[in-house]
């Protein structure tokens, strides 16, 4: 192809894109719209989970993962027939067992008849990204929620709409942000390995409850860090879900659990706390060492739970995990980390318990 023909072809392609869009887009800084899913605004940049008070206090990778954005979402309303985004990631992370959309992409939902409905994702290409999520919609004013990456952070984020359209602050409080639910745990809590951000169990649970759910999952960690216990006492949460046992040995549990719980109990004595067992993931059925680890972990958790109750911690609850992932072994990507199916089953399994505990906390 000659250079002249190539230039003409590119020009025609661009014109077709503009024609399909109807008109050019105008971008708005997402910093100007509400962000849900944070415990503190005193962070190193807007799109981060851990406050500056944890810098130097948390272990290196807890701090790094605390700059990732699982559970964070931007709320806005617009009547645009097209919605686009520009975003720059912090780490340009990639993972061999997790879809790139889940790692560092975005996920758009719309509020319809009081329920959040999935629209489409924004696919990442690298550190710097730009693209149209959806076009050719009706020009109706709708409420939107844009979920941020699960295993990467955001440096900058812009929302694009048609020049003639309006973008404004959300008019509906959904999810409800008063007295949020906190989920504390490991890589699975952080969102590994959902195909897209909206399918992490914390985000599914938030939509089911219509309640803000703060994601304090840290891949490879969840070691009952005392500074995280302190962070949990902010914002007067209604329920704390403790989904950490898969990364904690019996000795670490015995050493750290009582101080961890006392930090929470001293500052927010009315909060309801739900301990969840290590799920019997498929790998544990065939790998004998993994199977032993699951059994030993759950036995240690049961023992610690009983001891805490004896010592006067009354707002503690315990959920067995044997049926949370189903019986067919199809809920994980690698025998351990959840697929979307696994996250959906897990969220639906814990939902009725968490809903009941919210009602109990707010009586």
């Amino acid at each position: 192809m000659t250079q002249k023909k190539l230039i003409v072809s590119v020009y025609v392609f661009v014109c077709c894109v503009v024609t399909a869009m109807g008109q050019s887009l105008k971008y708005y800084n997402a910093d100007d719209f509400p962000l849900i899913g944070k415990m503190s605004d005193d962070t190193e940049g807007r799109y981060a989970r851990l406050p500056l008070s944890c810098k130097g206090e948390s272990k290196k990778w807890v701090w790094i993962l605390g700059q990732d954005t699982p559970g964070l979402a931007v709320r806005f309303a617009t009547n645009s027939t097209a919605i686009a985004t520009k975003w720059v990631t912090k780490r340009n992370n990639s993972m061999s067992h997790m879809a790139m959309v889940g790692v560092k992409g975005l996920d758009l939902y719309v509020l319809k008849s009081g329920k959040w409905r999935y629209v489409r994702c924004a696919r990442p290409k690298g550190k710097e990204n730009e693209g149209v999520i959806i076009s050719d919609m009706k020009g109706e004013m709708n409420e939107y929620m844009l979920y941020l990456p699960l295993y990467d952070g955001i440096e900058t984020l812009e929302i694009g709409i048609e020049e003639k359209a309006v973008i404004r602050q959300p008019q509906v409080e959904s999810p409800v942000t008063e007295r949020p639910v906190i989920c504390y745990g490991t890589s699975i809590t952080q969102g590994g390995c959902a195909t897209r951000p909206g399918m992490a169990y914390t985000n599914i649970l938030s939509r089911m409850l219509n309640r803000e759910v703060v994601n304090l999952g840290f891949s490879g960690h969840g070691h009952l860090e005392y500074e995280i216990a302190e962070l949990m006492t902010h914002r007067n949460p209604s329920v704390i879900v403790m989904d950490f046992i898969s990364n904690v040995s019996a000795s670490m549990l015995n050493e750290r659990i009582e101080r961890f719980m006392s930090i929470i109990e001293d500052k927010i004595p009315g909060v309801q706390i739900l301990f969840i067992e290590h799920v019997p993931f498929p790998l544990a059925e065939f790998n004998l060492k993994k199977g032993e680890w699951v059994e030993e972990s759950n036995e240690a958790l049961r023992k610690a739970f009983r001891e805490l109750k004896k010592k006067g911690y009354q707002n503690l609850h315990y959920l067995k995990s044997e049926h949370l992932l189903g019986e067919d072994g199809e809920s994980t990507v690698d025998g351990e980390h959840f697929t979307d199916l696994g996250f959906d089953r897990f969220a639906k399994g814990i939902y009725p318990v968490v809903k009941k505990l919210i009602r109990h906390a707010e009586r």
Side-chain angles (χ1 to χ4, degrees):
M1 180 181 292
T2 66
Q3 185 175 10
K4 185 176 180 179
K5 288 182 178 179
L6 178 61
I7 293 172
V8 171
S9 296
V10 171
Y11 174 78
V12 171
F13 173 74
V14 172
C15 288
C16 288
V17 172
V18 173
T19 301
M21 290 297 301
Q23 63 177 44
S24 60
L25 299 172
K26 182 177 180 180
Y27 282 85
Y28 295 80
N29 192 336
D31 292 4
D32 296 332
F33 299 94
L35 180 68
I36 63 170
K38 293 182 67 169
M39 292 299 294
S40 169
D41 289 326
D42 185 25
T43 51
E44 197 172 74
R46 188 188 196 219
Y47 304 105
R49 295 183 293 158
L50 290 187
L52 289 169
S53 60
C54 290
K55 192 172 186 179
E57 183 75 17
S58 295
K59 291 180 179 179
K60 175 184 176 181
W61 270 100
V62 172
W63 174 255
I64 291 172
L65 295 169
Q67 308 312 301
D68 291 350
T69 53
L72 272 59
V74 175
R75 284 279 285 108
F76 64 95
T78 183
N79 63 349
S80 180
T81 64
I83 298 175
T85 50
K86 294 180 182 179
W87 75 104
V88 178
T89 66
K90 286 185 177 177
R91 297 195 283 134
N92 194 24
N93 190 23
S94 63
M95 298 166 66
S96 63
H97 61 335
M98 185 169 174
M100 286 299 99
V101 172
V103 174
K104 55 189 175 186
L106 309 174
D107 228 359
L108 185 66
Y109 279 71
V110 64
L111 192 64
K112 289 291 187 182
S113 302
K115 299 290 184 181
W116 286 104
R117 294 291 306 272
Y118 174 60
V119 178
R120 203 169 180 229
C121 68
R123 301 181 186 182
K125 299 177 178 65
K127 185 173 176 63
E128 298 184 8
N129 304 277
E130 178 179 356
V132 176
I133 297 178
I134 187 69
S135 61
D136 298 318
M137 295 190 294
K138 293 180 180 179
E140 301 173 335
M141 183 62 70
N142 283 312
E143 300 269 335
Y144 291 95
M145 180 157 56
L146 185 66
Y147 287 113
L148 305 189
L150 299 174
Y151 269 82
D152 209 328
I154 292 287
E155 290 184 355
T156 61
L157 175 63
E158 297 176 78
I159 300 169
I161 63 169
E162 293 173 298
E163 285 186 329
K164 65 181 180 181
V166 174
I167 187 169
R168 68 185 188 188
Q169 300 296 315
Q171 304 299 298
V172 179
E173 187 187 12
S174 180
V176 174
T177 57
E178 186 178 357
R179 303 208 67 186
V181 173
I182 298 173
C183 291
Y184 170 70
T186 64
S187 55
I188 291 173
T189 303
Q190 183 167 341
C193 293
T195 59
R196 52 185 180 82
M199 292 307 295
Y201 87 75
T202 56
N203 291 337
I204 298 173
L205 186 63
S206 175
R207 295 193 298 273
M208 294 176 72
L209 294 167
N210 191 32
R211 177 77 55 137
E212 182 179 11
V213 175
V214 177
N215 186 316
L216 291 180
F218 303 95
S219 182
H221 293 83
H223 293 161
L224 297 171
E225 301 88 353
Y226 300 140
E227 73 276 12
I228 304 301
E230 170 65 29
L231 180 61
M232 288 182 185
T233 65
H234 300 185
R235 295 192 58 196
N236 191 25
S238 57
V239 178
I240 296 175
V241 176
M242 298 284 284
D243 181 28
F244 66 93
I245 193 60
S246 60
N247 280 2
V248 172
S249 66
S251 60
M252 181 183 290
L253 180 66
N254 294 333
E255 176 187 341
R256 303 182 69 86
I257 188 62
E258 187 168 358
R259 181 179 170 190
F260 187 96
M261 294 301 303
S262 68
I263 292 171
I264 297 172
E265 181 72 14
D266 288 348
K267 293 194 174 183
I268 44 173
V271 68
Q272 302 298 307
I273 300 176
L274 176 64
F275 287 85
I276 300 180
E277 286 185 341
H278 193 318
V279 293
F281 48 67
L283 183 60
E285 181 181 350
F286 305 102
N287 184 307
L288 299 182
K289 289 184 178 180
K290 287 287 186 180
E292 290 174 1
W293 173 263
V294 170
E295 291 181 7
E296 292 171 1
S297 297
N298 287 341
E299 177 55 37
L301 187 64
R302 286 190 290 268
K303 182 178 179 181
F305 178 81
R306 290 193 297 266
E307 290 299 318
L308 288 168
K309 294 285 278 188
K310 288 179 182 179
K311 292 178 180 180
Y313 293 90
Q314 295 303 312
N315 295 324
L316 305 185
H317 311 270
Y318 192 92
L319 181 61
K320 293 183 177 181
S321 63
E322 54 190 349
H323 300 301
L324 288 179
L325 289 187
E327 311 297 331
D328 56 13
E330 299 289 359
S331 294
T332 71
V333 67
D334 56 3
E336 297 178 87
H337 297 91
F338 297 175
T339 59
D340 293 354
L341 176 63
F343 280 122
D344 185 65
R345 288 175 174 176
F346 189 85
K348 288 176 179 175
I350 70 174
Y351 162 73
V353 181
V354 176
K355 184 178 180 180
K356 180 180 179 180
L357 293 181
I358 291 173
R359 290 200 300 265
H360 187 75
E362 296 182 339
R363 286 190 308 195

